Amino acid sequence: MYETPGEGHTLVAFEHEEPMRVFFIVSGSLIWLDENGKSAGHFDVHDYIAMCEQHYEKMGFGADAIKALIR
């Protein structure tokens, strides 16, 4: 599935005996626009890394452990 820029989307998982599995590939930044089409915020690779560092720290691995996964 490909979603064009600017399209809204919602994931729906209907009841099923198998759990839903999803794999996202995001290339580029996610940019939120206001009602006038101007940038109202963004989320990029640096935000993903910071999120992972916080999670690793919380789980007891230490934030630096994420660096071992980045080439």
Side-chain angles (χ1 to χ4, degrees):
M1 177 176 78
Y2 173 76
E3 290 180 332
T4 57
E7 290 294 317
H9 59 278
T10 302
L11 293 175
V12 177
F14 298 102
E15 288 190 31
H16 195 273
E17 62 273 1
E18 292 291 323
M20 179 182 153
R21 294 184 184 133
V22 63
F23 179 76
F24 294 100
I25 297 176
V26 178
S27 59
S29 298
L30 299 174
I31 302 171
W32 291 276
L33 304 176
D34 66 14
E35 60 277 353
N36 298 313
K38 298 195 181 208
S39 177
H42 71 282
F43 196 87
D44 63 17
V45 66
H46 302 288
D47 297 302
Y48 282 112
I49 292 170
M51 210 168 60
C52 291
E53 287 174 338
Q54 290 173 8
H55 177 71
Y56 271 51
E57 189 67 34
K58 180 180 174 184
M59 300 308 296
F61 302 117
D64 286 340
I66 198 71
K67 291 182 174 101
L69 304 173
I70 300 172
R71 295 184 201 198

